[in-house]
Amino acid sequence: MSEAMALLAIFTLAVFVGFEVVSKVSSTLHTPLMSGANAIHGIILVGAIIVASHAETSLELGLSVAAIILATINLVGGFVVTDRMLEMFKGKRETNNSGKAGDKKGGAK
Amino acid sequence: MSRTLYDLLGLLAAVLFIMALKGLSSPKSARRGNLLGALGALIATVAVFFYAEPEYSLPLENLEWILGAIAIGVIVAVPAARKVQMTQMPQMVALFNGVGGGAAALVAIVEYIKLGETAGFATVLATVFTVIVGCVSFSGSIVTFLKLQELMTTRPVILPAGRFLIIANLVAVLGVAYWVMDEMGTSPLLVLAGLSLLFGVLFVLPVGGADVPIVISLLNAFTGLTVAASGYVLEATLLIVAGTLVGASGTILTRLMAEAMGRSLFGTLFGAFTQTAQAGGTEAESRPVKSGSPEDVAILLNYARRVVIVPGFGLAVAQAQHTVREMADLLSARGIDVAYGIHPVAGRMPGHMNVLLAEANVPYEQLVEMDEVNPTFPQTDVALVIGANDVVNPAAKTTPGCPIYGMPILEVQQAGNIIFLKRSMRPGFAGIENELLFDPKTTLLFGDAKASLTKVVSALKGL
C-alpha cells in the first residue's frame, strides 16, 4: 500500500471511530464535550513545531512562530477550560463520582 | 529517539484522544477523559522535541523561538481559561477554536512556501483545503465571539444583497483555489486566505444569536478537518487521526445540538438567507403588563404547593445562583415542592445552565430536564422564570417563521401563575417579543435578578 493510500485508510477509519464515540451523549454534556474536542485539535501545535524547526527564511519563521502561539492557546486553554467546566459536576452526579482522581491540571508545556 | 519510538508515542497519543472523547461522553468519566486528552497532547508535544527527520539534526532548529512561542501561548491561555466567568465560557470556546483554525492555516501556508514547486497535487489540494477552511473557522469564530460577548448585535445581520455577496465570494474562493493549484505561487495562496477570511465573516453574520452555539460546534468540526488535512501535508499521522476524530465527532455533536434545539442544521445556517428578518411585534410594546412588588411575589410563592423555577441566562449574568438557592431552600423548608426546569439550551449552550447551577451547589436531584418537567406544569401553581425568555416563549409553537419556531420550550403557560423576573421589557437573545408577558396570569418583577430575589427572600422570611 502506498503512503498516500495508508493515510487515506487511517483517515477513513478515524471518521468511523469519531462517529462512534460520541453517538449517545446527554445534552448536559454537549458543552464540555465540544470544549474537549476543541482542545484536542490544538494538537496542530505538533505540526507548528515541525514547520518552525524547518523554517529557513524569516517569513517562514515568523508565520510558524505565530502558528505555535495560536496552537498553544487552543491546546492549553482548551484543556484548562474544559477541566474547569467539569469540576462543577464533581460529586453532583447520582452517586459515586468523587472526581478527585488525579488533580493535575490539563496542559502541555 | 528512533522513528519507531516516535511513531509509537504518536499512536499512544491518538489512543488517549479516543479515550478522552469516549470519557467525555459520560458524566462519570468526563473529567478523567479530559485529563487523558491532556496527557496525550503532552506526550505528543514532548516527543516532537526529541525526534528529528533524517535530513535534520537535534536539537531542533529555532529551538529558542519555539520554546518562547509556547511560553507566550501558555501565559496568554492559562489565566484566560482559569479566570473566565462561567457565563462567558461559550465565547471562550469559540475563541480557542478560532485560533486553532488559524494555526492550521498558517502551518499549511508555511509548508507550502517551503515545498514550492516540489509539492505534489494531493499535497497542494490538502493545503488549499486547510487554508480555506482554517481561515473560515478563524474569522467565523471571531464573529461568533463578538456576538456572544455582545460586542456586536446578536440579531441576524442581513446585508443588502447578502445572498449575492456570499455566492460571489464563494465563486471567488473556488476560482483562486484553482489558480493556486494551477500556478503554484505564494501570492495566490495569500489572496485565497484573505477571501476565505471574508467568507467566514459573511457565513456567520446572518446567524441569529440563539443559533450561535450550533455554529461554534460546526466550526469546531471544521477546524478538526483542517488539522487532519495539514497532517496530510506534513505526513504526520497523529494530526490526521486527531483532526479526523474531532471533525467526525464534531459533526455528530452539531447534529445532536441542532436536534436538542429543534432546529434543522440547514435552516440554521441558511435561514437568514431564505426568510425575511422578523420584525418582532413592535406594536406590542405599548400594551399594559401587570407588574408586582417583591411582597406580591413572596405571597404567591408562599401559598403555592409546587413551584418550578426556570433559570435563564439573566440569572447567571446577575450571579444570582446562590440567592435563588437560598429562596428554594426556604420554600422547601415550608413543605413546598420545588424543582428547577432546565431547558437543554438554557444559558448560551446545551448544558450551560447545569454547569452554572452546579457551581452554586444546587442539589442535582432538583434539576429536572425539559421532557420530564413539561407534563408537570398543569399541576404547578407558580412558574418562576428568572432571566429567561426565549426558552418559554410560546411563539416557538404558534408563530411559524419566527426565528425560534420549532424550538421545544418549557410550557410555563400551563402553570397556575407565571412570575417573570426581568431587567426590562427588552426581548430575549433571539430578539423576539414574548406574548406570555402580557398574559393575565403573569406577574412581572423588574430589576436585576439578584436584587429582586434578595427582596423576595426577605419578604418570604417576614411571612
Side-chain angles (χ1 to χ4, degrees), chain A residues 31 34 41 52 84 93 104, chain B residues 62 82 84 220 257 350 364:
Chain A
T31 299
M34 188 213 291
H41 66 51
R84 267 193 65 198
R93 272 282 164 177
K104 177 178 142 318
Chain B
N62 306 319
R82 299 195 72 155
V84 63
N220 188 36
M257 268 192 197
Y364 193 81

Side-chain angles (χ1 to χ4, degrees), chain B residues 426-450:
Chain B
R426 210 167 67 98
F429 199 53
I432 8 170
E433 197 64 63
N434 190 346
E435 273 303 307
L436 218 50
L437 297 177
F438 308 101
D439 194 287
K441 61 185 180 187
T442 298
T443 307
L444 287 113
L445 176 55
F446 288 112
D448 172 80
K450 190 173 183 177

Side-chain angles (χ1 to χ4, degrees), chain B residues 63-398:
Chain B
L63 189 63
E64 64 281 15
W65 286 98
I66 294 171
L67 292 176
I70 291 177
I72 293 173
V74 171
I75 291 168
V76 172
V78 172
R82 299 195 72 155
K83 291 214 188 84
V84 63
Q85 296 274 329
M86 277 295 141
T87 46
Q88 295 177 333
M89 202 182 51
Q91 47 267 53
M92 201 75 207
V93 174
L95 207 56
F96 287 154
N97 175 53
V99 296
L106 285 173
V107 167
I109 290 173
V110 176
E111 189 66 8
Y112 183 82
I113 294 173
K114 182 150 202 67
L115 288 174
E117 300 285 315
T118 63
F121 175 76
T123 306
V124 179
L125 190 65
T127 305
V128 165
F129 177 83
T130 308
V131 171
I132 294 176
V133 184
C135 288
V136 168
S137 183
F138 179 73
S139 62
S141 297
I142 301 294
V143 176
T144 56
F145 171 80
L146 294 176
K147 280 190 186 223
L148 288 170
Q149 193 71 25
E150 300 191 12
L151 292 173
M152 62 177 282
T153 173
T154 56
R155 290 170 178 235
V157 177
I158 317 258
L159 300 172
R163 201 190 321 207
F164 169 76
L165 264 179
I166 199 162
I167 290 170
N169 191 197
L170 185 62
V171 170
V173 165
L174 294 177
V176 176
Y178 179 78
W179 182 28
V180 173
M181 286 192 267
D182 197 41
E183 289 210 0
M184 311 280 273
T186 307
S187 358
L189 196 67
L190 295 180
V191 174
L192 183 66
L195 284 170
S196 305
L197 287 171
L198 180 64
F199 185 77
V201 174
L202 292 177
F203 178 69
V204 178
L205 274 182
V207 177
D211 289 335
V212 163
I214 297 178
V215 174
I216 297 180
S217 178
L218 186 73
L219 293 175
N220 188 36
F222 277 7
T223 306
L225 291 177
T226 61
V227 169
S230 65
Y232 183 83
V233 175
L234 293 171
E235 294 180 358
T237 317
L238 173 61
L239 296 191
I240 298 182
V241 175
T244 311
L245 281 174
V246 177
S249 61
T251 309
I252 296 283
L253 187 57
T254 309
R255 219 194 65 212
L256 289 174
M257 268 192 197
E259 269 169 20
M261 298 170 79
R263 321 285 288 148
S264 88
L265 199 50
F266 184 84
T268 305
L269 300 179
F270 304 103
F273 290 103
T274 49
Q275 60 193 219
T276 49
Q278 199 72 12
T282 39
E283 88 286 348
E285 278 160 23
S286 56
R287 281 191 289 161
V289 293
K290 186 171 81 183
S291 72
S293 69
E295 288 74 25
D296 299 335
V297 171
I299 288 168
L300 271 175
L301 290 172
N302 197 39
Y303 296 102
R305 272 159 306 158
R306 178 177 165 82
V307 173
V308 174
I309 301 170
V310 178
F313 193 66
L315 174 127
V317 170
Q319 295 292 319
Q321 303 95 310
H322 296 278
T323 322
V324 80
R325 186 178 169 221
E326 193 188 343
M327 187 194 71
D329 289 349
L330 212 55
L331 294 174
S332 296
R334 297 182 185 186
I336 300 164
D337 183 14
V338 180
Y340 295 80
I342 309 289
H343 191 274
V345 295
R348 284 284 188 271
M349 272 186 171
H352 193 186
M353 190 50 66
N354 301 65
V355 175
L356 294 171
L357 290 176
E359 189 187 12
N361 291 321
V362 170
Y364 193 81
E365 312 77 62
Q366 290 188 354
L367 305 183
V368 189
E369 293 197 9
M370 180 177 63
D371 294 338
E372 290 167 47
V373 82
N374 266 346
T376 71
F377 276 117
Q379 291 89 49
T380 299
D381 303 296
V382 179
L384 179 62
V385 184
I386 308 174
N389 194 347
D390 297 331
V391 297
V392 297
N393 193 341
K397 293 195 137 174
T398 56

Side-chain angles (χ1 to χ4, degrees), chain A residues 10-11 15 19 21 29 31 34 38 41 43-44 52-54 74 77 79 83-85 88 92-93 99 102 104, chain B residues 25 27 31 34-35 37 61-62 81-82 84 89 96-97 100 114 220 230 239 244 248 252 257 349-350 358 364:
Chain A
I10 291 169
F11 169 79
V15 169
F19 283 162
V21 288
L29 279 171
T31 299
M34 188 213 291
N38 175 44
H41 66 51
I43 197 63
I44 185 65
S53 72
H54 300 177
N74 183 186
F79 281 119
D83 190 64
R84 267 193 65 198
M85 260 180 237
M88 306 298 170
K92 301 292 182 329
R93 272 282 164 177
K104 177 178 142 318
Chain B
S25 310
R31 196 156 182 225
N34 185 52
L35 292 175
E61 293 286 316
N62 306 319
R82 299 195 72 155
V84 63
M89 202 182 51
F96 287 154
N97 175 53
K114 182 150 202 67
N220 188 36
S230 65
L239 296 191
T244 311
I252 296 283
M257 268 192 197
M349 272 186 171
Y364 193 81

